[in-house]
Amino acid sequence: MGDTIRWKTVFCIWISVLSQAAHAADNDVTRAFSEAKLIAMQLWHVTSADLRFVAGQDLAVTRDGTILAGRAFADRITTGLSPSDAKISLRFAMLHEFVHIVQGKDIPDVSPTDTARRPFECQADMLAAGALLDSLLTGLSLDTGAQRATAILNVTHLLKQLGTHGEGGSPPPDSTLRKMGERERALAVQFGFIRSMEKWSHGSKETGQKIDKLRKATQRLIGGWNNNDEISWSMRVCKAITRVDAPVVEAVGARTRIYTDEESSGPDADGVFYSNFHYVIKNVSSRTLAIDLIVLAGTYPVNQEQNWEDYVITDAVYRETRIGPGESGELVGRYAIPLVDSEKNSFVWQLPFDQKTLISATYIGEERPAPNCNAGWLNLGSSPIEQMAAALVRIGSAAKGGFGSIKGEPQNPGLSEIFFNSTVLVPGSSKVTIVNSGPNSSALISLYEGNDFKEATRVYEDVSDGLVKLCSTSGVKISANNSGDMTDRTIGISNLTRYSMATLSLKKRDSKFDTSGKSSYSVFWAINYAP
């Protein structure tokens, strides 16, 4: 009987201890939630959010803004940490969830390990780390804050190690994917740290060469992609970190040419060594290709290549290009070569698209019909009308740039800079003129000029009938308009290319200066930009 009472007493004490520990953990989570909520209200205008404890060891947020904390969550995320680091880890995890509230309906409702969700998880880590570090940087002085600066770097290192493991869902079992995820999470925190340093340095009232140098360095490291809009900037960076639309990235990498010259690297006036990059990408698709690239350079400790939390970014170069269907675009820039010593190795992540390169690539906008009315203007060239159509498509493709890419010599040098010859010749045309008048530029292709109405009519009908045969009703949109006496006729192709319209015209021209009494006639193509 005495043993039974003694064991009941021990059991009750054990349950009491567990209950107190659980209660203390709940209090820690509640405190972290309150602190994170205050920050979220100030930074991201989150006005409502609730905390609810549930069974399990995960942390998640519902669509209505309720954060669900597993009873065992605090123990899982803080095991082995000091009390101060445990407090930081809980606040970081809570801030991560508050970013998901900010993301709202934009974030896919799938597992955190799903490919579609990776940019959003990256953004949650980046903004959470930045928000947490913002408060630590307040009041920091470059001259007297060495000890605090070291503490902030230590916190950053801790956050890189934590990553998003506060959320539910395990990384894929494949070790390569798991390591890549660790690198992405460390980069997200690193960019959050850089963003915080940039905001602090520009908001600081300190003066002097040291703070000016820091301001320039942080500005270069965060680039110019809408950097006044932290939400937009962070998502764009995260899309590059997580390589959004990997199949498109791979397609771009397969069609990239590298250009170098004898001066591809060397020191600048300040003695800093730079290396240049110059890539030309061909877009063979029928949609506009959008590419964002971040070239990163920096250092890591010798023999620590897989310890992503120990990487230090020393330079970042941001480049973007938008390439139309069938066209080529360039990515050109330079980066500072990292300085190394016996304890550091250098790294550079750039093209041609190895697995560490920070790049996103995707197709945007509507698909442009490949050139042949019904087969992409393909296989053109066997007949005179097909050859003419091919030339018209080439001219129409240049319309978006004001025909600058096909503009040749001026027709009246020294007298007028409005009319230019074209570098594209059109079969059957006596003259191709680029009329350069700003956004209303056009290309005029003369097919007939004279007094013979029958000949003008023959030229017009041969061309228009031949074009209609190339284009059935399922192809490009064709419209016609004729005057009663057939001396004023037009036929239009409203989508010769995705952004150009071509109009074939027959016009009667009477001149008061012509005393012969005969009318003159013109047959010509006019091509205009028509987005």
Side-chain angles (χ1 to χ4, degrees):
M1 185 67 177
D3 289 341
T4 301
I5 294 174
R6 187 162 50 249
W7 277 113
K8 284 185 176 180
T9 302
V10 171
F11 180 75
C12 289
I13 292 174
W14 179 63
I15 291 295
S16 177
V17 170
L18 287 180
S19 177
Q20 291 176 19
H23 184 67
D26 287 355
N27 286 341
D28 292 339
V29 171
T30 301
R31 188 179 302 109
F33 170 81
S34 299
E35 294 168 346
K37 184 176 182 179
L38 183 60
I39 293 173
M41 290 174 61
Q42 294 172 340
L43 292 182
W44 308 312
H45 310 294
V46 175
T47 56
S48 62
D50 296 311
L51 175 67
R52 192 170 78 212
F53 288 96
V54 295
Q57 58 177 2
D58 297 328
L59 188 67
V61 63
T62 65
R63 287 286 179 176
D64 64 359
T66 298
I67 294 179
L68 307 177
R71 294 286 183 186
F73 164 73
D75 287 339
R76 179 171 70 85
I77 194 174
T78 62
T79 298
L81 298 180
S82 67
S84 59
D85 285 352
K87 181 179 179 181
I88 288 170
S89 68
L90 288 173
R91 190 188 302 176
F92 176 60
M94 281 295 173
L95 284 168
H96 179 103
E97 299 304 323
F98 272 99
V99 177
H100 285 330
I101 294 175
V102 176
Q103 291 166 345
K105 295 182 179 179
D106 291 335
I107 183 171
D109 190 15
V110 293
S111 163
T113 59
D114 190 285
T115 301
R117 186 161 162 150
R118 287 166 67 189
F120 295 90
E121 295 299 330
C122 168
Q123 183 183 44
D125 269 3
M126 188 180 296
L127 294 182
L132 199 156
L133 293 168
D134 282 347
S135 60
L136 300 179
L137 285 165
T138 303
L140 179 68
S141 169
L142 285 180
D143 294 327
T144 62
Q147 186 173 354
R148 275 189 60 200
T150 300
I152 292 169
L153 290 176
N154 290 337
V155 170
T156 304
H157 192 272
L158 170 66
L159 298 182
K160 287 183 184 180
Q161 292 176 312
L162 291 173
T164 57
H165 80 169
E167 287 213 359
S170 301
D174 182 86
S175 59
T176 302
L177 291 176
R178 186 163 59 251
K179 289 178 180 177
M180 185 176 181
E182 292 167 359
R183 181 181 69 86
E184 292 171 349
R185 292 194 295 267
L187 283 170
V189 172
Q190 180 70 19
F191 275 96
F193 167 71
I194 293 170
R195 177 80 189 195
S196 294
M197 288 293 295
E198 192 272 341
K199 288 195 294 184
W200 170 79
S201 66
H202 282 78
S204 173
K205 296 181 180 179
E206 289 193 60
T207 58
Q209 186 177 7
K210 189 183 295 185
I211 190 71
D212 288 342
K213 186 176 181 180
L214 178 62
R215 288 181 182 124
K216 290 180 181 179
T218 56
Q219 185 66 50
R220 182 175 175 84
L221 288 174
I222 70 164
W225 289 350
N226 300 323
N227 57 38
N228 291 325
D229 181 348
E230 191 170 47
I231 301 296
S232 173
W233 171 84
S234 58
M235 178 50 70
R236 198 164 175 184
V237 172
C238 278
K239 285 182 177 179
I241 290 176
T242 57
R243 299 171 71 94
V244 166
D245 212 338
V248 181
V249 173
E250 293 170 6
V252 170
R255 300 181 179 92
T256 301
R257 291 178 291 171
I258 304 173
Y259 285 83
T260 58
D261 53 54
E262 295 180 356
E263 299 179 357
S264 61
S265 63
D268 66 0
D270 296 326
V272 178
F273 278 82
Y274 284 89
S275 182
N276 299 329
F277 60 88
H278 185 176
Y279 302 92
V280 176
I281 298 107
K282 176 71 174 179
N283 178 16
V284 298
S285 78
S286 58
R287 298 181 66 191
T288 296
L289 175 63
I291 302 174
D292 284 347
L293 168 73
I294 307 175
V295 173
L296 286 187
T299 63
Y300 61 90
V302 173
N303 300 324
Q304 301 295 319
E305 186 173 0
Q306 298 303 321
N307 289 2
W308 307 112
E309 66 269 20
D310 293 324
Y311 277 61
V312 176
I313 300 173
T314 59
D315 199 12
V317 183
Y318 294 67
R319 288 294 181 270
E320 65 178 294
T321 185
R322 303 292 183 264
I323 310 171
E327 299 174 0
S328 294
E330 295 182 309
L331 292 168
V332 182
R334 69 174 188 168
Y335 58 87
I337 299 174
L339 297 176
V340 297
D341 53 35
S342 60
E343 297 181 352
K344 292 186 293 187
N345 285 336
S346 66
F347 72 89
V348 177
W349 296 339
Q350 63 170 71
L351 298 181
F353 310 147
D354 62 34
Q355 287 302 309
K356 297 188 185 72
T357 298
L358 274 56
I359 179 172
S360 68
T362 187
Y363 297 117
I364 60 175
E366 295 181 0
E367 185 171 357
R368 186 176 82 184
N372 162 341
C373 300
N374 308 314
W377 297 108
L378 300 175
N379 305 317
L380 294 175
S382 60
S383 69
I385 192 63
E386 288 176 327
Q387 293 174 13
M388 178 183 289
L392 295 178
V393 169
R394 287 187 60 194
I395 295 172
S397 297
K400 189 174 182 180
F403 302 98
S405 62
I406 62 169
K407 188 168 64 176
E409 296 297 320
Q411 291 187 0
N412 298 294
L415 299 178
S416 172
E417 297 297 325
I418 298 177
F419 301 98
F420 296 83
N421 294 314
S422 170
T423 58
V424 177
L425 301 179
V426 178
S429 169
S430 59
K431 183 170 61 174
V432 181
T433 300
I434 304 300
V435 182
N436 189 14
S437 57
N440 297 317
S441 299
S442 60
L444 300 178
I445 299 101
S446 178
L447 302 180
Y448 175 81
E449 291 283 347
N451 304 113
D452 190 334
F453 176 60
K454 288 185 178 180
E455 180 62 13
T457 299
R458 184 194 67 77
V459 171
Y460 177 85
E461 291 181 347
D462 283 353
V463 172
S464 60
D465 291 349
L467 210 27
V468 169
K469 289 179 181 179
L470 285 179
C471 308
S472 71
T473 54
S474 62
V476 301
K477 184 178 180 181
I478 297 177
S479 59
N481 186 35
N482 301 318
S483 65
D485 60 3
M486 306 296 278
T487 59
D488 191 346
R489 306 170 67 180
T490 61
I491 184 169
I493 303 176
S494 63
N495 50 346
L496 176 70
T497 64
R498 186 174 66 84
Y499 37 70
S500 62
M501 175 165 183
T503 304
L504 176 68
S505 299
L506 185 159
K507 297 288 184 182
K508 178 181 177 182
R509 303 185 184 280
D510 294 318
S511 172
K512 61 182 179 181
F513 300 105
D514 187 350
T515 58
S516 65
K518 294 183 178 180
S519 297
S520 63
Y521 303 91
S522 296
V523 180
F524 59 93
W525 281 105
I527 298 178
N528 300 90
Y529 176 51

